[in-house]
């Protein structure tokens, strides 16, 4: 493969290319825009869950302004975001979703999912008041991720 940068790019591309295939398959199998958006969000969760180090890598790349971020990963991410564009456009055309900025929806999803994963050790180590917040922050990570999914769906579903 060559040097460390090439290896880094190849490992990340492998993670993302597998994710792209999984995104595409699950979204194609979904029937409604809402189901497709749920699949999109669940695929982000699954990708990070299957690659625990990926959350820290992606956050570190953001913090450094993408200093070591391979261009191929930007293309991979663009392909994933284009799937979201189509889902949101389809939902809007069908009157199910309100008009929503796909990039903002993606950032809301990816940011909250990455921070949920990377902050978990800190959240369980320190006590926060009031007790309701303490209970919520120590809930299983899957419950927090499900809450994020519902919040994002509620943000784009058109009021009936």
């Amino acid at each position: 493969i060559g040097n460390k940068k090439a290896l880094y790019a190849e490992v990340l591309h492998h993670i993302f290319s597998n994710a792209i295939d999984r995104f595409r398959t699950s979204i194609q199998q979904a029937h409604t825009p809402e189901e497709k958006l749920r699949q999109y969000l669940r695929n982000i969760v699954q990708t990070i869950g299957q690659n625990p180090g990926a959350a820290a890598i992606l956050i570190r790349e953001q913090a450094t302004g993408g200093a070591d971020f391979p261009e191929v990963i930007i293309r991979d991410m663009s392909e994933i975001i284009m799937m979201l564009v189509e889902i949101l456009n389809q939902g809007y055309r069908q009157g199910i979703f309100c008009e929503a900025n796909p990039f903002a929806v993606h950032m809301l999803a990816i940011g909250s999912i990455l921070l949920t994963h990377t902050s978990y050790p800190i959240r369980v180590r320190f006590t926060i008041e009031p007790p309701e917040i303490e209970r919520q922050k120590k809930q299983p990570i899957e419950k927090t991720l499900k809450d994020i999914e519902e919040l994002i769906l509620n943000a784009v579903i058109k009021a009936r």
Side-chain angles (χ1 to χ4, degrees):
I1 286 185
N3 61 28
K4 287 182 186 180
K5 280 189 172 192
L7 178 60
Y8 181 67
E10 185 60 33
V11 168
L12 287 177
H13 181 59
H14 178 74
I15 290 169
F16 278 93
S17 62
N18 286 339
I20 288 167
D21 292 340
R22 193 177 56 254
F23 271 72
R24 193 175 287 120
T25 299
S26 65
I27 289 168
Q28 286 173 350
Q29 292 173 352
H31 299 289
T32 68
E34 182 178 343
E35 289 173 5
K36 290 177 182 191
L37 182 54
R38 283 186 190 280
Q39 287 304 313
Y40 182 88
L41 298 170
R42 289 173 184 169
N43 274 292
I44 294 172
V45 169
Q46 184 178 353
T47 300
I48 299 303
Q50 289 177 344
N51 304 282
I57 289 169
L58 293 171
I59 287 178
R60 185 172 40 256
E61 287 295 348
Q62 291 298 313
T64 64
D68 295 313
F69 219 47
E71 187 176 323
V72 66
I73 303 309
I74 299 301
R75 288 192 302 271
D76 290 342
M77 288 180 164
S78 294
E79 191 170 339
I80 290 169
I81 293 170
M82 288 309 298
M83 290 181 217
L84 177 61
V85 168
E86 181 52 39
I87 292 166
L88 294 174
N89 285 342
Q90 180 185 16
Y92 179 71
R93 286 190 310 269
Q94 292 179 9
I96 297 168
F97 295 161
C98 58
E99 192 169 10
N101 177 327
F103 187 73
V105 172
H106 181 75
M107 287 293 103
L108 178 61
I110 194 74
S112 56
I113 291 166
L114 291 177
L115 285 173
T116 296
H117 277 277
T118 59
S119 70
Y120 191 73
I122 296 167
R123 289 184 284 123
V124 297
R125 196 169 68 210
F126 296 103
T127 301
I128 299 175
E129 296 294 332
E132 176 61 18
I133 298 297
E134 182 64 21
R135 183 190 64 73
Q136 288 176 357
K137 79 176 183 74
K138 289 187 178 176
Q139 70 187 2
I141 198 167
E142 294 80 15
K143 170 72 171 106
T144 302
L145 294 168
K146 185 72 173 154
D147 291 344
I148 291 167
E149 178 182 308
E150 291 304 317
L151 287 168
I152 292 170
L153 279 159
N154 288 336
V156 299
I157 291 178
K158 197 175 212 176
R160 300 188 200 294

